[in-house]
Amino acid sequence: MTVPSLELNDGRSIPQLGFGVFKVDPDATERIVSDALEIGYRHIDTAAIYGNEEGVGRAIAASGIPRDELFITTKLWNADQGTDSAHAAIDTSLEKLGLDHVDLYLIHWPTPKRDLYVESWKALEQIRAAGKSTSIGVSNFLVEHLERIAGETDTVPAVNQIELHPYHQRPAETAYGHDHGIITEAWGPLGQGKYPLLELPEIVAIADAHERTPAQVVLRWHIQQGHVVFPKSNSRERIAENFALFDFELTPTEQSSISAMERGGRVGGDPAEIN
Ligand SMILES: NC(=O)c1ccc[n+]([C@@H]2O[C@H](COP(=O)([O-])OP(=O)(O)OC[C@H]3O[C@@H](n4cnc5c(N)ncnc54)[C@H](OP(=O)(O)O)[C@@H]3O)[C@@H](O)[C@H]2O)c1
């Protein structure tokens, strides 16, 4: 199965489907990421705060897959925002991953009360210039945070990674991204299992019509919306299921019926409040 790539605003490209490792137990990470790589995933989304960068690194090393065929993202944690601490944090992440660079480094949350995200973004510009991350971006940024970055720095983030699923579609952030060349990465693409998204009769009916699972339908909706997604699963069977998205297509009516499910249903933290 070939995963399509999307072009980033810095001329690089990103596989539209990856594997996320939030809440993957550090002791199980090497095995689970190895499963994902065997199944065919080439894009892994981790973060310093997940505590499992070493496991991701071990799976990469054991895979024998050439480095330039992989796309690895990690993130700067809130407590490490600031110039010196950001430089130290990327070095620590690279050491844990066993890599000399990542493909994408993100500011994990804007943490507006700290008021360090503009300074941290300038540090990420330096990290990119030093070759420690090929591309740089942000996560959980609201439009007001993106506007400040645009007004006070020279680089437009390549991506904004935000909570996004059929119950919480983030029209303001996705429109800003569309207008400014920022790719939207959807975290919690399945609603983190906290909503009965996969049991909704409309989703189940679409899945039955395509002889697919509800999870595949929701993930396919994301793909057709143009989002980058990296669903997480601990189960090899589901990891394989979530990878099989490119041999069927939702009709425009099915796509719009899922888009009509918006209900402002955030499952994670409020980016304006997390500090
Ligand atoms: N930037 C941020 O602040 C942020 C925040 C959260 C997440 N993320 C990133 O986004 C990634 C994905 O989001 P997420 O892990 O929070 O949530 P998610 O992918 O929406 O949901 C994961 C949940 O769905 C279940 N699941 C996975 N595949 C399934 C399937 N085919 N059928 C039924 N259930 C299935 C998993 O259970 P099992 O494991 O039991 O299969 C798990 O409980 C993360 O791993 C992380 O890389 C970023």
Side-chain angles (χ1 to χ4, degrees):
M1 192 104 40
T2 307
V3 174
S5 287
L6 300 182
E7 196 176 325
L8 299 171
N9 63 20
D10 57 12
R12 306 287 176 158
S13 62
I14 182 168
Q16 201 181 355
L17 175 66
F19 182 66
V21 295
F22 177 47
K23 295 216 166 139
V24 175
D25 188 299
D27 292 336
T29 301
E30 179 179 352
R31 175 181 54 79
I32 291 173
V33 172
S34 295
D35 280 349
L37 294 172
E38 257 177 56
I39 286 163
Y41 290 82
R42 292 293 179 266
H43 168 183
I44 308 292
D45 184 272
T46 185
I49 196 68
Y50 301 168
N52 54 21
E53 288 170 311
E54 283 110 329
V56 171
R58 283 196 296 274
I60 292 170
S63 74
I65 297 168
R67 176 67 185 88
D68 62 1
E69 291 177 19
L70 294 169
F71 190 100
I72 309 298
T73 298
T74 194
K75 313 184 190 91
L76 175 69
W77 184 238
N78 303 347
D80 292 324
Q81 285 203 27
T83 308
D84 293 345
S85 40
H87 283 288
I90 183 68
D91 287 345
T92 302
S93 284
L94 290 175
E95 198 183 326
K96 288 184 173 171
L97 287 161
L99 299 176
D100 64 3
H101 73 282
V102 286
D103 299 277
L104 182 61
Y105 196 45
L106 306 180
I107 299 180
H108 206 143
W109 291 87
T111 66
K113 276 204 188 119
R114 289 173 196 262
D115 197 19
L116 285 170
Y117 64 86
V118 174
E119 180 183 325
S120 301
W121 183 245
K122 291 177 182 171
L124 262 63
E125 292 178 316
Q126 293 161 357
I127 285 166
R128 188 180 66 167
K132 294 180 182 179
S133 184
T134 311
S135 298
I136 53 174
V138 296
S139 176
N140 298 302
F141 273 42
L142 302 175
V143 169
E144 69 208 67
H145 309 129
L146 295 167
E147 281 175 341
R148 241 188 104 194
I149 293 283
E152 297 182 39
T153 76
D154 297 327
T155 309
V156 178
V159 310
N160 187 18
Q161 181 179 125
I162 52 178
E163 180 187 341
L164 201 169
H165 43 79
Y167 274 4
H168 188 46
Q169 296 179 33
R170 315 298 298 274
E173 290 79 11
T174 51
Y176 185 95
H178 184 263
D179 292 346
H180 295 84
I182 303 171
I183 295 274
T184 297
E185 295 192 329
W187 69 251
L190 300 171
Q192 291 189 329
K194 290 181 187 165
Y195 283 125
L197 262 186
L198 306 183
E199 289 151 31
L200 291 175
E202 302 94 307
I203 302 268
V204 172
I206 297 171
D208 288 348
H210 289 273
E211 298 185 341
R212 296 289 165 155
T213 67
Q216 288 172 322
V217 166
V218 172
L219 294 170
R220 180 68 208 182
W221 171 82
H222 282 286
I223 295 291
Q224 290 183 213
Q225 291 293 99
H227 309 148
V228 170
V229 274
F230 23 78
K232 168 265 172 190
S233 178
N234 283 333
S235 133
R236 188 179 168 111
E237 199 184 4
R238 286 172 168 179
I239 296 171
E241 175 184 327
N242 297 345
F243 192 66
L245 305 180
F246 301 103
D247 55 355
F248 76 108
E249 204 171 327
L250 302 181
T251 65
T253 309
E254 290 166 340
Q255 191 71 7
S256 341
S257 74
I258 299 176
S259 298
M261 292 177 179
E262 167 67 46
R263 53 157 75 179
R266 192 174 59 224
V267 297
D270 181 348
E273 299 296 332
I274 288 197
N275 284 288

